[in-house]
Amino acid sequence: MARKGFYFDSTRCVDCKTCQVACKKKFNVPKLLNFRTVDGYEVGSYPNARFYSISHACNHCENPACVRSCPTRAMYKDEQDGTIQHNDDICIGCRACIMACPYGAPVYLPELGIVNKCNACIDTREADGATTCEASCGMRAIEFGDFDDLVKRHPDAVQQISCMPDASLTNPSTIIKGRDYTQERDYRRLEM
């Protein structure tokens, strides 16, 4: 089975949230909810505080906790590209996937009574040539493609940075390039 995934270059991200807004618009996600989120983190303290941003969505994990926990199999791994997809028609809105996902990717949509999440633009990426988040990023901080190719092209990227859950839990199909301080343990998530 193929394995598609994301590369995110935190050193290029300027925290503009354009990827977040473009994703929200494409999927018509309700207010206060997002399928892709940009979070800011601070490490160190004055006068040596440093800041970085992480754009994240579903990591399309190789061993997805959301798929394992879904009682109806509404969450499933696409056989063609390995991305994690959702079948709205059989979702019962139980939120087991939300509780299971260590990354917080699935989102409950109260108006519909179901859960949904990033689908790696499986419905439009072939026609558009890219995922919506990738195409919208003016700094070219996001890439989507064959996971093994992304790893080869970006040998300095890692699956684990300090602000993320342990990658060994699900083996995410996302790699991140960050500055050295993205590995510092004294990070603080900034509320913006």
Side-chain angles (χ1 to χ4, degrees):
M1 176 187 298
R3 182 180 181 194
K4 299 283 189 185
F6 285 101
Y7 163 74
F8 174 68
D9 186 343
S10 179
T11 67
R12 296 183 68 93
C13 182
V14 295
D15 201 50
C16 69
K17 297 182 178 22
T18 302
C19 59
Q20 179 177 310
V21 173
C23 175
K24 187 174 189 73
K25 182 175 171 115
K26 179 197 187 295
F27 290 103
N28 196 26
V29 181
K31 288 180 182 178
L32 305 177
L33 300 173
N34 294 298
F35 290 172
R36 174 165 288 280
T37 304
V38 179
D39 290 321
Y41 295 88
E42 181 182 52
V43 296
S45 57
Y46 177 83
N48 299 313
R50 291 160 294 172
F51 174 83
Y52 64 93
S53 295
I54 299 296
S55 176
H56 56 95
C58 177
N59 290 310
H60 300 284
C61 302
E62 190 162 46
N63 185 22
C66 61
V67 170
R68 287 192 315 270
S69 70
C70 182
T72 65
R73 303 212 188 308
M75 285 286 186
Y76 65 96
K77 188 180 279 199
D78 183 79
E79 293 180 10
Q80 299 297 314
D81 67 8
T83 58
I84 309 307
Q85 299 299 318
H86 185 262
N87 183 339
D88 295 357
D89 295 335
I90 60 175
C91 179
I92 58 174
C94 69
R95 305 178 210 178
C97 57
I98 292 173
M99 292 181 276
C101 177
Y103 302 101
V107 175
Y108 182 70
L109 304 173
E111 302 83 25
L112 301 175
I114 63 170
V115 172
N116 213 323
K117 60 168 206 59
C118 160
N119 69 2
C121 296
I122 197 167
D123 54 334
T124 58
R125 81 172 104 96
E126 190 172 314
D128 293 348
T131 59
T132 298
C133 57
E134 178 182 12
S136 69
C137 180
M139 298 306 292
R140 300 296 172 243
I142 300 173
E143 282 181 50
F144 180 82
D146 179 79
F147 187 69
D148 291 336
D149 289 346
L150 291 172
V151 170
K152 286 177 192 166
R153 279 200 313 273
H154 305 288
D156 53 345
V158 297
Q159 278 186 309
Q160 183 71 56
I161 60 174
S162 64
C163 66
M164 294 175 62
D166 184 353
S168 70
L169 296 170
T170 61
N171 194 12
S173 297
T174 297
I175 54 174
I176 299 171
K177 176 183 176 185
R179 294 181 177 87
D180 291 342
Y181 53 85
T182 57
Q183 295 296 354
E184 290 186 20
R185 290 278 172 208
D186 71 338
Y187 68 88
R188 292 167 301 285
R189 184 170 174 258
L190 302 175
E191 299 297 326
M192 297 182 177

mmCIF file with all atom_site columns, all heavy atoms in Angstrom, residues 127-152:
data_model
loop_
_atom_site.group_PDB
_atom_site.id
_atom_site.type_symbol
_atom_site.label_atom_id
_atom_site.label_alt_id
_atom_site.label_comp_id
_atom_site.label_asym_id
_atom_site.label_entity_id
_atom_site.label_seq_id
_atom_site.pdbx_PDB_ins_code
_atom_site.Cartn_x
_atom_site.Cartn_y
_atom_site.Cartn_z
_atom_site.occupancy
_atom_site.B_iso_or_equiv
_atom_site.pdbx_formal_charge
_atom_site.auth_seq_id
_atom_site.auth_comp_id
_atom_site.auth_asym_id
_atom_site.auth_atom_id
_atom_site.pdbx_PDB_model_num
ATOM 1   N N   . ALA A 1 127 ? -6.985 16.987 -9.257  1.00 0.00 ? 127 ALA A N   1
ATOM 2   C CA  . ALA A 1 127 ? -7.379 18.068 -10.168 1.00 0.00 ? 127 ALA A CA  1
ATOM 3   C C   . ALA A 1 127 ? -6.650 19.367 -9.841  1.00 0.00 ? 127 ALA A C   1
ATOM 4   O O   . ALA A 1 127 ? -6.256 20.108 -10.741 1.00 0.00 ? 127 ALA A O   1
ATOM 5   C CB  . ALA A 1 127 ? -8.884 18.286 -10.108 1.00 0.00 ? 127 ALA A CB  1
ATOM 6   N N   . ASP A 1 128 ? -6.469 19.645 -8.546  1.00 0.00 ? 128 ASP A N   1
ATOM 7   C CA  . ASP A 1 128 ? -5.823 20.888 -8.116  1.00 0.00 ? 128 ASP A CA  1
ATOM 8   C C   . ASP A 1 128 ? -4.306 20.814 -8.148  1.00 0.00 ? 128 ASP A C   1
ATOM 9   O O   . ASP A 1 128 ? -3.636 21.843 -8.097  1.00 0.00 ? 128 ASP A O   1
ATOM 10  C CB  . ASP A 1 128 ? -6.266 21.262 -6.697  1.00 0.00 ? 128 ASP A CB  1
ATOM 11  C CG  . ASP A 1 128 ? -7.743 21.634 -6.613  1.00 0.00 ? 128 ASP A CG  1
ATOM 12  O OD1 . ASP A 1 128 ? -8.362 21.831 -7.679  1.00 0.00 ? 128 ASP A OD1 1
ATOM 13  O OD2 . ASP A 1 128 ? -8.265 21.718 -5.500  1.00 0.00 ? 128 ASP A OD2 1
ATOM 14  N N   . GLY A 1 129 ? -3.744 19.626 -8.153  1.00 0.00 ? 129 GLY A N   1
ATOM 15  C CA  . GLY A 1 129 ? -2.296 19.464 -8.169  1.00 0.00 ? 129 GLY A CA  1
ATOM 16  C C   . GLY A 1 129 ? -1.662 19.507 -6.796  1.00 0.00 ? 129 GLY A C   1
ATOM 17  O O   . GLY A 1 129 ? -0.446 19.359 -6.667  1.00 0.00 ? 129 GLY A O   1
ATOM 18  N N   . ALA A 1 130 ? -2.456 19.741 -5.761  1.00 0.00 ? 130 ALA A N   1
ATOM 19  C CA  . ALA A 1 130 ? -1.919 19.820 -4.393  1.00 0.00 ? 130 ALA A CA  1
ATOM 20  C C   . ALA A 1 130 ? -3.079 19.821 -3.409  1.00 0.00 ? 130 ALA A C   1
ATOM 21  O O   . ALA A 1 130 ? -4.229 20.022 -3.790  1.00 0.00 ? 130 ALA A O   1
ATOM 22  C CB  . ALA A 1 130 ? -1.102 21.102 -4.214  1.00 0.00 ? 130 ALA A CB  1
ATOM 23  N N   . THR A 1 131 ? -2.749 19.615 -2.154  1.00 0.00 ? 131 THR A N   1
ATOM 24  C CA  . THR A 1 131 ? -3.757 19.789 -1.111  1.00 0.00 ? 131 THR A CA  1
ATOM 25  C C   . THR A 1 131 ? -4.026 21.283 -0.959  1.00 0.00 ? 131 THR A C   1
ATOM 26  O O   . THR A 1 131 ? -3.200 22.114 -1.330  1.00 0.00 ? 131 THR A O   1
ATOM 27  C CB  . THR A 1 131 ? -3.276 19.216 0.235   1.00 0.00 ? 131 THR A CB  1
ATOM 28  O OG1 . THR A 1 131 ? -2.069 19.885 0.613   1.00 0.00 ? 131 THR A OG1 1
ATOM 29  C CG2 . THR A 1 131 ? -3.038 17.714 0.158   1.00 0.00 ? 131 THR A CG2 1
ATOM 30  N N   . THR A 1 132 ? -5.166 21.624 -0.414  1.00 0.00 ? 132 THR A N   1
ATOM 31  C CA  . THR A 1 132 ? -5.537 23.034 -0.241  1.00 0.00 ? 132 THR A CA  1
ATOM 32  C C   . THR A 1 132 ? -4.545 23.756 0.658   1.00 0.00 ? 132 THR A C   1
ATOM 33  O O   . THR A 1 132 ? -4.146 24.889 0.375   1.00 0.00 ? 132 THR A O   1
ATOM 34  C CB  . THR A 1 132 ? -6.972 23.134 0.314   1.00 0.00 ? 132 THR A CB  1
ATOM 35  O OG1 . THR A 1 132 ? -7.857 22.548 -0.638  1.00 0.00 ? 132 THR A OG1 1
ATOM 36  C CG2 . THR A 1 132 ? -7.379 24.570 0.570   1.00 0.00 ? 132 THR A CG2 1
ATOM 37  N N   . CYS A 1 133 ? -4.124 23.107 1.746   1.00 0.00 ? 133 CYS A N   1
ATOM 38  C CA  . CYS A 1 133 ? -3.182 23.766 2.660   1.00 0.00 ? 133 CYS A CA  1
ATOM 39  C C   . CYS A 1 133 ? -1.839 24.022 1.978   1.00 0.00 ? 133 CYS A C   1
ATOM 40  O O   . CYS A 1 133 ? -1.234 25.085 2.137   1.00 0.00 ? 133 CYS A O   1
ATOM 41  C CB  . CYS A 1 133 ? -3.004 22.952 3.944   1.00 0.00 ? 133 CYS A CB  1
ATOM 42  S SG  . CYS A 1 133 ? -2.450 21.253 3.703   1.00 0.00 ? 133 CYS A SG  1
ATOM 43  N N   . GLU A 1 134 ? -1.378 23.050 1.222   1.00 0.00 ? 134 GLU A N   1
ATOM 44  C CA  . GLU A 1 134 ? -0.107 23.205 0.508   1.00 0.00 ? 134 GLU A CA  1
ATOM 45  C C   . GLU A 1 134 ? -0.194 24.329 -0.519  1.00 0.00 ? 134 GLU A C   1
ATOM 46  O O   . GLU A 1 134 ? 0.688  25.191 -0.596  1.00 0.00 ? 134 GLU A O   1
ATOM 47  C CB  . GLU A 1 134 ? 0.231  21.878 -0.182  1.00 0.00 ? 134 GLU A CB  1
ATOM 48  C CG  . GLU A 1 134 ? 1.496  21.893 -1.005  1.00 0.00 ? 134 GLU A CG  1
ATOM 49  C CD  . GLU A 1 134 ? 1.751  20.571 -1.713  1.00 0.00 ? 134 GLU A CD  1
ATOM 50  O OE1 . GLU A 1 134 ? 0.847  19.701 -1.762  1.00 0.00 ? 134 GLU A OE1 1
ATOM 51  O OE2 . GLU A 1 134 ? 2.865  20.404 -2.227  1.00 0.00 ? 134 GLU A OE2 1
ATOM 52  N N   . ALA A 1 135 ? -1.255 24.333 -1.302  1.00 0.00 ? 135 ALA A N   1
ATOM 53  C CA  . ALA A 1 135 ? -1.418 25.348 -2.350  1.00 0.00 ? 135 ALA A CA  1
ATOM 54  C C   . ALA A 1 135 ? -1.569 26.750 -1.780  1.00 0.00 ? 135 ALA A C   1
ATOM 55  O O   . ALA A 1 135 ? -1.141 27.726 -2.388  1.00 0.00 ? 135 ALA A O   1
ATOM 56  C CB  . ALA A 1 135 ? -2.633 25.006 -3.218  1.00 0.00 ? 135 ALA A CB  1
ATOM 57  N N   . SER A 1 136 ? -2.161 26.867 -0.591  1.00 0.00 ? 136 SER A N   1
ATOM 58  C CA  . SER A 1 136 ? -2.414 28.193 -0.023  1.00 0.00 ? 136 SER A CA  1
ATOM 59  C C   . SER A 1 136 ? -1.214 28.791 0.705   1.00 0.00 ? 136 SER A C   1
ATOM 60  O O   . SER A 1 136 ? -1.177 29.991 0.943   1.00 0.00 ? 136 SER A O   1
ATOM 61  C CB  . SER A 1 136 ? -3.601 28.127 0.939   1.00 0.00 ? 136 SER A CB  1
ATOM 62  O OG  . SER A 1 136 ? -3.257 27.384 2.091   1.00 0.00 ? 136 SER A OG  1
ATOM 63  N N   . CYS A 1 137 ? -0.234 27.983 1.049   1.00 0.00 ? 137 CYS A N   1
ATOM 64  C CA  . CYS A 1 137 ? 0.905  28.476 1.849   1.00 0.00 ? 137 CYS A CA  1
ATOM 65  C C   . CYS A 1 137 ? 1.863  29.296 0.998   1.00 0.00 ? 137 CYS A C   1
ATOM 66  O O   . CYS A 1 137 ? 2.592  28.758 0.161   1.00 0.00 ? 137 CYS A O   1
ATOM 67  C CB  . CYS A 1 137 ? 1.645  27.308 2.496   1.00 0.00 ? 137 CYS A CB  1
ATOM 68  S SG  . CYS A 1 137 ? 3.051  27.843 3.507   1.00 0.00 ? 137 CYS A SG  1
ATOM 69  N N   . GLY A 1 138 ? 1.880  30.593 1.238   1.00 0.00 ? 138 GLY A N   1
ATOM 70  C CA  . GLY A 1 138 ? 2.757  31.495 0.504   1.00 0.00 ? 138 GLY A CA  1
ATOM 71  C C   . GLY A 1 138 ? 4.233  31.288 0.800   1.00 0.00 ? 138 GLY A C   1
ATOM 72  O O   . GLY A 1 138 ? 5.092  31.635 -0.009  1.00 0.00 ? 138 GLY A O   1
ATOM 73  N N   . MET A 1 139 ? 4.549  30.708 1.937   1.00 0.00 ? 139 MET A N   1
ATOM 74  C CA  . MET A 1 139 ? 5.942  30.473 2.309   1.00 0.00 ? 139 MET A CA  1
ATOM 75  C C   . MET A 1 139 ? 6.416  29.077 1.888   1.00 0.00 ? 139 MET A C   1
ATOM 76  O O   . MET A 1 139 ? 7.541  28.707 2.116   1.00 0.00 ? 139 MET A O   1
ATOM 77  C CB  . MET A 1 139 ? 6.114  30.639 3.825   1.00 0.00 ? 139 MET A CB  1
ATOM 78  C CG  . MET A 1 139 ? 5.791  32.032 4.327   1.00 0.00 ? 139 MET A CG  1
ATOM 79  S SD  . MET A 1 139 ? 6.708  33.336 3.474   1.00 0.00 ? 139 MET A SD  1
ATOM 80  C CE  . MET A 1 139 ? 8.362  33.004 4.040   1.00 0.00 ? 139 MET A CE  1
ATOM 81  N N   . ARG A 1 140 ? 5.537  28.292 1.303   1.00 0.00 ? 140 ARG A N   1
ATOM 82  C CA  . ARG A 1 140 ? 5.846  26.928 0.866   1.00 0.00 ? 140 ARG A CA  1
ATOM 83  C C   . ARG A 1 140 ? 6.397  26.087 2.013   1.00 0.00 ? 140 ARG A C   1
ATOM 84  O O   . ARG A 1 140 ? 7.358  25.354 1.877   1.00 0.00 ? 140 ARG A O   1
ATOM 85  C CB  . ARG A 1 140 ? 6.789  26.921 -0.333  1.00 0.00 ? 140 ARG A CB  1
ATOM 86  C CG  . ARG A 1 140 ? 6.239  27.631 -1.556  1.00 0.00 ? 140 ARG A CG  1
ATOM 87  C CD  . ARG A 1 140 ? 5.001  26.919 -2.066  1.00 0.00 ? 140 ARG A CD  1
ATOM 88  N NE  . ARG A 1 140 ? 4.313  27.650 -3.112  1.00 0.00 ? 140 ARG A NE  1
ATOM 89  C CZ  . ARG A 1 140 ? 3.079  28.121 -2.984  1.00 0.00 ? 140 ARG A CZ  1
ATOM 90  N NH1 . ARG A 1 140 ? 2.412  27.974 -1.864  1.00 0.00 ? 140 ARG A NH1 1
ATOM 91  N NH2 . ARG A 1 140 ? 2.495  28.746 -3.970  1.00 0.00 ? 140 ARG A NH2 1
ATOM 92  N N   . ALA A 1 141 ? 5.716  26.190 3.140   1.00 0.00 ? 141 ALA A N   1
ATOM 93  C CA  . ALA A 1 141 ? 6.127  25.450 4.340   1.00 0.00 ? 141 ALA A CA  1
ATOM 94  C C   . ALA A 1 141 ? 5.478  24.073 4.417   1.00 0.00 ? 141 ALA A C   1
ATOM 95  O O   . ALA A 1 141 ? 5.860  23.268 5.253   1.00 0.00 ? 141 ALA A O   1
ATOM 96  C CB  . ALA A 1 141 ? 5.783  26.260 5.590   1.00 0.00 ? 141 ALA A CB  1
ATOM 97  N N   . ILE A 1 142 ? 4.491  23.801 3.557   1.00 0.00 ? 142 ILE A N   1
ATOM 98  C CA  . ILE A 1 142 ? 3.774  22.524 3.597   1.00 0.00 ? 142 ILE A CA  1
ATOM 99  C C   . ILE A 1 142 ? 3.942  21.813 2.258   1.00 0.00 ? 142 ILE A C   1
ATOM 100 O O   . ILE A 1 142 ? 3.788  22.433 1.202   1.00 0.00 ? 142 ILE A O   1
ATOM 101 C CB  . ILE A 1 142 ? 2.268  22.742 3.865   1.00 0.00 ? 142 ILE A CB  1
ATOM 102 C CG1 . ILE A 1 142 ? 2.052  23.446 5.196   1.00 0.00 ? 142 ILE A CG1 1
ATOM 103 C CG2 . ILE A 1 142 ? 1.513  21.403 3.832   1.00 0.00 ? 142 ILE A CG2 1
ATOM 104 C CD1 . ILE A 1 142 ? 0.613  23.857 5.459   1.00 0.00 ? 142 ILE A CD1 1
ATOM 105 N N   . GLU A 1 143 ? 4.255  20.529 2.337   1.00 0.00 ? 143 GLU A N   1
ATOM 106 C CA  . GLU A 1 143 ? 4.294  19.676 1.146   1.00 0.00 ? 143 GLU A CA  1
ATOM 107 C C   . GLU A 1 143 ? 3.505  18.416 1.445   1.00 0.00 ? 143 GLU A C   1
ATOM 108 O O   . GLU A 1 143 ? 3.568  17.891 2.555   1.00 0.00 ? 143 GLU A O   1
ATOM 109 C CB  . GLU A 1 143 ? 5.720  19.240 0.816   1.00 0.00 ? 143 GLU A CB  1
ATOM 110 C CG  . GLU A 1 143 ? 6.581  20.252 0.146   1.00 0.00 ? 143 GLU A CG  1
ATOM 111 C CD  . GLU A 1 143 ? 7.970  19.686 -0.161  1.00 0.00 ? 143 GLU A CD  1
ATOM 112 O OE1 . GLU A 1 143 ? 8.063  18.584 -0.751  1.00 0.00 ? 143 GLU A OE1 1
ATOM 113 O OE2 . GLU A 1 143 ? 8.946  20.336 0.229   1.00 0.00 ? 143 GLU A OE2 1
ATOM 114 N N   . PHE A 1 144 ? 2.809  17.920 0.443   1.00 0.00 ? 144 PHE A N   1
ATOM 115 C CA  . PHE A 1 144 ? 2.103  16.651 0.563   1.00 0.00 ? 144 PHE A CA  1
ATOM 116 C C   . PHE A 1 144 ? 2.591  15.756 -0.559  1.00 0.00 ? 144 PHE A C   1
ATOM 117 O O   . PHE A 1 144 ? 2.789  16.216 -1.685  1.00 0.00 ? 144 PHE A O   1
ATOM 118 C CB  . PHE A 1 144 ? 0.589  16.844 0.446   1.00 0.00 ? 144 PHE A CB  1
ATOM 119 C CG  . PHE A 1 144 ? -0.179 15.562 0.553   1.00 0.00 ? 144 PHE A CG  1
ATOM 120 C CD1 . PHE A 1 144 ? -0.471 15.029 1.793   1.00 0.00 ? 144 PHE A CD1 1
ATOM 121 C CD2 . PHE A 1 144 ? -0.581 14.873 -0.580  1.00 0.00 ? 144 PHE A CD2 1
ATOM 122 C CE1 . PHE A 1 144 ? -1.157 13.829 1.905   1.00 0.00 ? 144 PHE A CE1 1
ATOM 123 C CE2 . PHE A 1 144 ? -1.271 13.680 -0.478  1.00 0.00 ? 144 PHE A CE2 1
ATOM 124 C CZ  . PHE A 1 144 ? -1.562 13.155 0.765   1.00 0.00 ? 144 PHE A CZ  1
ATOM 125 N N   . GLY A 1 145 ? 2.803  14.493 -0.253  1.00 0.00 ? 145 GLY A N   1
ATOM 126 C CA  . GLY A 1 145 ? 3.231  13.571 -1.300  1.00 0.00 ? 145 GLY A CA  1
ATOM 127 C C   . GLY A 1 145 ? 3.542  12.205 -0.747  1.00 0.00 ? 145 GLY A C   1
ATOM 128 O O   . GLY A 1 145 ? 3.183  11.879 0.390   1.00 0.00 ? 145 GLY A O   1
ATOM 129 N N   . ASP A 1 146 ? 4.229  11.417 -1.557  1.00 0.00 ? 146 ASP A N   1
ATOM 130 C CA  . ASP A 1 146 ? 4.653  10.092 -1.135  1.00 0.00 ? 146 ASP A CA  1
ATOM 131 C C   . ASP A 1 146 ? 5.566  10.236 0.082   1.00 0.00 ? 146 ASP A C   1
ATOM 132 O O   . ASP A 1 146 ? 6.553  10.970 0.029   1.00 0.00 ? 146 ASP A O   1
ATOM 133 C CB  . ASP A 1 146 ? 5.381  9.385  -2.283  1.00 0.00 ? 146 ASP A CB  1
ATOM 134 C CG  . ASP A 1 146 ? 5.853  8.013  -1.875  1.00 0.00 ? 146 ASP A CG  1
ATOM 135 O OD1 . ASP A 1 146 ? 5.024  7.090  -1.857  1.00 0.00 ? 146 ASP A OD1 1
ATOM 136 O OD2 . ASP A 1 146 ? 7.058  7.888  -1.540  1.00 0.00 ? 146 ASP A OD2 1
ATOM 137 N N   . PHE A 1 147 ? 5.233  9.553  1.163   1.00 0.00 ? 147 PHE A N   1
ATOM 138 C CA  . PHE A 1 147 ? 5.951  9.748  2.423   1.00 0.00 ? 147 PHE A CA  1
ATOM 139 C C   . PHE A 1 147 ? 7.435  9.400  2.299   1.00 0.00 ? 147 PHE A C   1
ATOM 140 O O   . PHE A 1 147 ? 8.289  10.147 2.782   1.00 0.00 ? 147 PHE A O   1
ATOM 141 C CB  . PHE A 1 147 ? 5.292  8.928  3.544   1.00 0.00 ? 147 PHE A CB  1
ATOM 142 C CG  . PHE A 1 147 ? 5.876  9.220  4.895   1.00 0.00 ? 147 PHE A CG  1
ATOM 143 C CD1 . PHE A 1 147 ? 5.677  10.437 5.510   1.00 0.00 ? 147 PHE A CD1 1
ATOM 144 C CD2 . PHE A 1 147 ? 6.632  8.262  5.554   1.00 0.00 ? 147 PHE A CD2 1
ATOM 145 C CE1 . PHE A 1 147 ? 6.216  10.719 6.753   1.00 0.00 ? 147 PHE A CE1 1
ATOM 146 C CE2 . PHE A 1 147 ? 7.173  8.526  6.799   1.00 0.00 ? 147 PHE A CE2 1
ATOM 147 C CZ  . PHE A 1 147 ? 6.971  9.755  7.401   1.00 0.00 ? 147 PHE A CZ  1
ATOM 148 N N   . ASP A 1 148 ? 7.750  8.298  1.645   1.00 0.00 ? 148 ASP A N   1
ATOM 149 C CA  . ASP A 1 148 ? 9.159  7.923  1.497   1.00 0.00 ? 148 ASP A CA  1
ATOM 150 C C   . ASP A 1 148 ? 9.934  8.966  0.699   1.00 0.00 ? 148 ASP A C   1
ATOM 151 O O   . ASP A 1 148 ? 11.089 9.260  1.009   1.00 0.00 ? 148 ASP A O   1
ATOM 152 C CB  . ASP A 1 148 ? 9.294  6.544  0.838   1.00 0.00 ? 148 ASP A CB  1
ATOM 153 C CG  . ASP A 1 148 ? 8.808  5.424  1.748   1.00 0.00 ? 148 ASP A CG  1
ATOM 154 O OD1 . ASP A 1 148 ? 8.808  5.614  2.990   1.00 0.00 ? 148 ASP A OD1 1
ATOM 155 O OD2 . ASP A 1 148 ? 8.422  4.357  1.229   1.00 0.00 ? 148 ASP A OD2 1
ATOM 156 N N   . ASP A 1 149 ? 9.309  9.536  -0.327  1.00 0.00 ? 149 ASP A N   1
ATOM 157 C CA  . ASP A 1 149 ? 9.954  10.598 -1.112  1.00 0.00 ? 149 ASP A CA  1
ATOM 158 C C   . ASP A 1 149 ? 10.178 11.843 -0.259  1.00 0.00 ? 149 ASP A C   1
ATOM 159 O O   . ASP A 1 149 ? 11.230 12.495 -0.363  1.00 0.00 ? 149 ASP A O   1
ATOM 160 C CB  . ASP A 1 149 ? 9.118  10.966 -2.336  1.00 0.00 ? 149 ASP A CB  1
ATOM 161 C CG  . ASP A 1 149 ? 9.126  9.884  -3.402  1.00 0.00 ? 149 ASP A CG  1
ATOM 162 O OD1 . ASP A 1 149 ? 9.970  8.963  -3.333  1.00 0.00 ? 149 ASP A OD1 1
ATOM 163 O OD2 . ASP A 1 149 ? 8.259  9.947  -4.301  1.00 0.00 ? 149 ASP A OD2 1
ATOM 164 N N   . LEU A 1 150 ? 9.197  12.193 0.566   1.00 0.00 ? 150 LEU A N   1
ATOM 165 C CA  . LEU A 1 150 ? 9.356  13.358 1.447   1.00 0.00 ? 150 LEU A CA  1
ATOM 166 C C   . LEU A 1 150 ? 10.530 13.145 2.409   1.00 0.00 ? 150 LEU A C   1
ATOM 167 O O   . LEU A 1 150 ? 11.330 14.057 2.628   1.00 0.00 ? 150 LEU A O   1
ATOM 168 C CB  . LEU A 1 150 ? 8.073  13.608 2.240   1.00 0.00 ? 150 LEU A CB  1
ATOM 169 C CG  . LEU A 1 150 ? 6.856  14.088 1.449   1.00 0.00 ? 150 LEU A CG  1
ATOM 170 C CD1 . LEU A 1 150 ? 5.617  14.090 2.337   1.00 0.00 ? 150 LEU A CD1 1
ATOM 171 C CD2 . LEU A 1 150 ? 7.100  15.466 0.858   1.00 0.00 ? 150 LEU A CD2 1
ATOM 172 N N   . VAL A 1 151 ? 10.639 11.947 2.971   1.00 0.00 ? 151 VAL A N   1
ATOM 173 C CA  . VAL A 1 151 ? 11.746 11.641 3.892   1.00 0.00 ? 151 VAL A CA  1
ATOM 174 C C   . VAL A 1 151 ? 13.085 11.762 3.174   1.00 0.00 ? 151 VAL A C   1
ATOM 175 O O   . VAL A 1 151 ? 14.046 12.323 3.724   1.00 0.00 ? 151 VAL A O   1
ATOM 176 C CB  . VAL A 1 151 ? 11.545 10.238 4.519   1.00 0.00 ? 151 VAL A CB  1
ATOM 177 C CG1 . VAL A 1 151 ? 12.788 9.802  5.283   1.00 0.00 ? 151 VAL A CG1 1
ATOM 178 C CG2 . VAL A 1 151 ? 10.325 10.222 5.431   1.00 0.00 ? 151 VAL A CG2 1
ATOM 179 N N   . LYS A 1 152 ? 13.162 11.276 1.951   1.00 0.00 ? 152 LYS A N   1
ATOM 180 C CA  . LYS A 1 152 ? 14.420 11.362 1.176   1.00 0.00 ? 152 LYS A CA  1
ATOM 181 C C   . LYS A 1 152 ? 14.764 12.802 0.834   1.00 0.00 ? 152 LYS A C   1
ATOM 182 O O   . LYS A 1 152 ? 15.916 13.203 0.897   1.00 0.00 ? 152 LYS A O   1
ATOM 183 C CB  . LYS A 1 152 ? 14.309 10.543 -0.109  1.00 0.00 ? 152 LYS A CB  1
ATOM 184 C CG  . LYS A 1 152 ? 14.373 9.054  0.110   1.00 0.00 ? 152 LYS A CG  1
ATOM 185 C CD  . LYS A 1 152 ? 14.180 8.302  -1.200  1.00 0.00 ? 152 LYS A CD  1
ATOM 186 C CE  . LYS A 1 152 ? 13.962 6.827  -0.905  1.00 0.00 ? 152 LYS A CE  1
ATOM 187 N NZ  . LYS A 1 152 ? 13.440 6.109  -2.066  1.00 0.00 ? 152 LYS A NZ  1
#
